[in-house]
Amino acid sequence: MADHASGLGGRPTLADVAAETGFAISTVSRALSKPERVNARTRERIEAAAKQLGYTANTTARALTSGRTRSVAVLVSDVTNPFYFGIIRGTQQELKTAGYTQLLVDTEESDDLEDAMLRRLRASYDGAIIAASRLTDRRLAELAAQMPLVAINRQTRGVPNVFIDTPAGVDQAVEHLVSHGHRAIAYASGPPTSWPSERRWRAFTKAAGRWDVEVSRVGPFSPRQIQGAAAADAVLNTRATACLAFNDLLAIGMLARFAERGVRVPEDMSVVGCDDIFGADFCHPPLTTITAPITQAGRAAVSLLLAQLDRDGEPVRRTITLPTHLTIRASSGAASTA
């Protein structure tokens, strides 16, 4: 190997790799940053030389020269909610494989904070993935026109998105409860700004109408376990013998409250959750819930975003829809005949 001058602090540079291989610096840069644009034999020679020299990319310099940071912002509404664990795991795995860094942002169920963080951090990321956005359709579309962006569990015109089809799971849940003799079912709704909560309610009323079931809606509730007590009390003030909760955390909190009040589950009240988060099968009784491919949703969102970045930010107007299914456990059963 030839003896080449190195960059600051002895760190090998692109020029060193170029001198070692005989290729132009621009070719070396392209081979290491966009390998798909260089023929395989050239790329292999450059990659081998870079490895031998110990060359690693200077991401700060690359961002200044190319406008790319190789970072992606991933925004979630509540980082303590186990639903987002799978999203974060999926995005992290795919971004790492693609050579990107994940910037995780907890927006604390706030549309204002969500908007502010997207603006403040803009120089630090190439694109953004937003899970369960609380922004209005208009604002989300505006942002998607300004930057590469993908939404998870939110369908807005002009915004590439990954849609977890929980409405189909809601349909299965209602049919399951009807098959057990339930004729009055309540829906414990999520936050008023939650797009998925409204879609689940629409699916719930549509399915209930098909089966001639009496419905009631209680809430809205924050999607946290601590809100389960209020949700359970509200359901007990209806004629319902079964209930569907916006998410599993709310449902698990409801199970605890029903136990406190001496309401037997499922003998007196059947409970169905949504998402099948870690722990849904550990509670008492184990929770019947709509199982969602959460980690897969994170991976799919990254694939949509990288497709935009490969097109220099040109929007990819498509939706990836992921199916759900009902997982039946002990929290649902036959309606009481008492």
Side-chain angles (χ1 to χ4, degrees):
M1 181 177 70
D3 183 17
H4 301 297
S6 295
L8 185 63
R11 177 176 178 171
T13 66
L14 283 175
D16 295 330
V17 181
E20 179 70 20
T21 60
F23 292 114
I25 293 177
S26 60
T27 302
V28 172
S29 176
R30 188 161 55 251
L32 296 177
S33 62
K34 294 184 177 180
E36 71 281 359
R37 298 188 179 181
V38 178
N39 74 65
R41 182 174 296 180
T42 298
R43 183 177 68 246
E44 289 170 2
R45 281 184 58 190
I46 291 172
E47 288 176 346
K51 183 177 181 181
Q52 186 176 14
L53 290 169
Y55 170 80
T56 56
N58 184 326
T59 55
T60 301
R62 181 167 61 193
L64 290 172
T65 58
S66 69
R68 292 288 183 91
T69 66
R70 303 293 290 185
S71 296
V72 168
V74 176
L75 287 75
V76 300
S77 297
D78 179 2
V79 76
T80 66
N81 185 335
F83 171 79
Y84 295 112
F85 296 172
I87 296 287
I88 295 166
R89 185 180 303 114
T91 54
Q92 172 69 15
Q93 289 170 348
E94 288 299 299
L95 289 170
K96 181 180 178 182
T97 299
Y100 281 77
T101 298
Q102 175 166 280
L103 304 178
L104 181 61
V105 180
D106 182 353
T107 61
E108 302 174 13
E109 299 283 352
S110 167
D111 56 341
D112 289 338
L113 184 58
E114 184 178 328
D115 199 335
M117 295 305 288
L118 282 168
R119 287 183 285 104
R120 282 183 206 159
L121 297 174
R122 185 64 190 98
S124 302
Y125 63 84
D126 296 332
I129 294 170
I130 309 178
S133 177
R134 300 299 188 236
L135 297 172
T136 64
D137 282 345
R138 179 177 180 179
R139 182 55 181 154
L140 195 59
E142 287 175 352
L143 288 168
Q146 298 167 11
M147 68 180 76
L149 185 150
V150 173
I152 298 177
N153 252 11
R154 176 68 176 270
Q155 291 182 305
T156 298
R157 184 182 297 276
V159 182
N161 67 89
V162 177
F163 176 54
I164 300 174
D165 193 8
T166 48
V170 168
D171 191 80
Q172 294 177 40
V174 172
E175 184 173 359
H176 164 68
L177 294 171
V178 168
S179 74
H180 282 284
H182 296 280
R183 291 296 179 268
I185 309 173
Y187 175 63
S189 62
T193 56
S194 170
W195 186 91
S197 183
E198 288 306 305
R199 294 311 178 276
R200 290 168 199 176
W201 168 245
R202 291 181 190 178
F204 179 77
T205 55
K206 183 177 179 180
R210 189 166 62 251
W211 294 103
D212 194 24
V213 170
E214 178 185 335
V215 300
S216 53
R217 176 172 177 165
V218 296
F221 300 103
S222 175
R224 296 182 172 92
Q225 187 172 339
I226 195 172
Q227 285 281 289
D233 290 346
V235 168
L236 290 177
N237 286 329
T238 71
R239 290 160 42 88
T241 58
C243 62
L244 171 67
F246 166 68
N247 73 345
D248 286 345
L249 285 181
L250 194 62
I252 291 168
M254 294 175 75
L255 292 178
R257 181 59 169 174
F258 286 139
E260 288 177 0
R261 295 193 58 173
V263 177
R264 299 171 301 164
V265 176
E267 292 85 356
D268 302 324
M269 178 70 68
S270 284
V271 179
V272 178
C274 187
D275 296 330
D276 202 7
I277 61 172
F278 177 80
D281 55 341
F282 297 158
C283 54
H284 182 72
L287 184 65
T288 294
T289 186
I290 299 165
T291 298
I294 304 171
T295 301
Q296 186 181 349
R299 291 181 181 138
V302 171
S303 72
L304 278 184
L305 186 67
L306 294 184
Q308 288 187 68
L309 293 175
D310 286 344
R311 293 168 174 80
D312 294 323
E314 179 183 340
V316 180
R317 299 184 185 278
R318 62 177 288 207
T319 295
I320 295 178
T321 300
L322 302 178
T324 62
H325 66 272
L326 185 69
T327 296
I328 300 171
R329 300 191 181 105
S331 69
S332 60
S336 174
T337 58

